[in-house]
Amino acid sequence: MIAQLSRPHDATEAVRRNLAACWTAVVNAGGAVVPMGCPLPPVTQAALRPTVERITRELSPDHSRLLVATVDGALAGWLLLRREAHPLAAHCGVLNHVQTHAHFRGRGVGAAMMRHAQGVARDEMGLERLQLAVRSGLGLEEFYRKAGWTEVGRWPGALRVAPGDDRDEILMSLAL
């Protein structure tokens, strides 16, 4: 089941705690969703909590929504869908923090969230295009290609995962 949170009060303390727990598990399992201001893995829920609080505080039906996937009542994954703030790009949206908990990978949770996000972006937010950035070296670009996304550019070596381990940041786009 995929729920949509579009206002700060939708993100209860339990929801925020579950988001931080999922995010911690994803990052520590090698996921590429390390937010600004957070140390590199291993991370703790406490390190991710300020970003979760900021994300949920900024929820707005017109500008920022969380999609939360559950399986048998457990948080299986989530993503943030945002409208670009600048008027020249307000017809575009950005997906951030796309993640599936390691316990639920390979069960179609990520693909279901991506399909749902496309519908919300197009039908509810009136967006015409989505964009996202992914780290190379994890196979993520193939996941997004299968979901209809197109690679539109790369920042070579933009992400330093560890000394001597630089990865490209891959820019992807999806016309709605």
Side-chain angles (χ1 to χ4, degrees):
M1 184 165 86
I2 299 176
Q4 185 179 157
L5 310 178
S6 60
R7 299 186 188 283
H9 68 268
D10 294 339
T12 65
E13 173 59 29
V15 167
R16 294 190 315 270
R17 188 173 47 252
N18 287 335
L19 292 172
C22 178
W23 204 343
T24 302
V26 168
V27 170
N28 290 338
V33 288
V34 180
M36 293 291 288
C38 187
L40 293 177
V43 299
T44 64
Q45 289 184 41
L48 291 165
R49 189 64 187 244
T51 305
V52 168
E53 294 295 331
R54 180 186 50 76
I55 288 169
T56 57
R57 186 174 52 249
E58 294 174 355
L59 291 175
S60 159
D62 292 332
H63 300 287
S64 180
R65 299 179 187 204
L66 272 175
L67 300 183
V68 179
T70 57
V71 174
D72 297 327
L75 182 66
W78 63 278
L79 62 79
L80 178 65
L81 171 60
R82 295 184 300 106
R83 175 186 301 281
E84 284 287 1
H86 196 284
L88 290 174
H91 65 289
C92 295
V94 178
L95 291 187
N96 292 116
H97 313 300
V98 179
Q99 51 192 285
T100 301
H101 195 291
H103 296 306
F104 295 99
R105 289 200 180 135
R107 295 173 60 179
V109 172
M113 286 193 307
M114 296 305 292
R115 285 190 303 274
H116 197 84
Q118 290 175 32
V120 169
R122 181 188 55 246
D123 302 335
E124 297 180 30
M125 296 177 75
L127 297 173
E128 299 171 22
R129 177 170 299 282
L130 292 174
Q131 60 192 30
L132 59 80
V134 299
R135 179 194 312 168
S136 68
L138 298 173
L140 298 171
E141 58 269 38
E142 187 57 29
F143 167 78
Y144 291 110
R145 278 190 197 105
K146 287 180 181 177
W149 292 74
T150 302
E151 181 178 327
V152 295
R154 285 182 181 243
W155 291 107
L159 305 170
R160 180 157 292 157
V161 178
D165 187 3
D166 292 353
R167 309 280 179 90
D168 294 353
E169 183 169 39
I170 302 168
L171 311 173
M172 302 194 84
S173 179
L174 177 72
L176 301 173

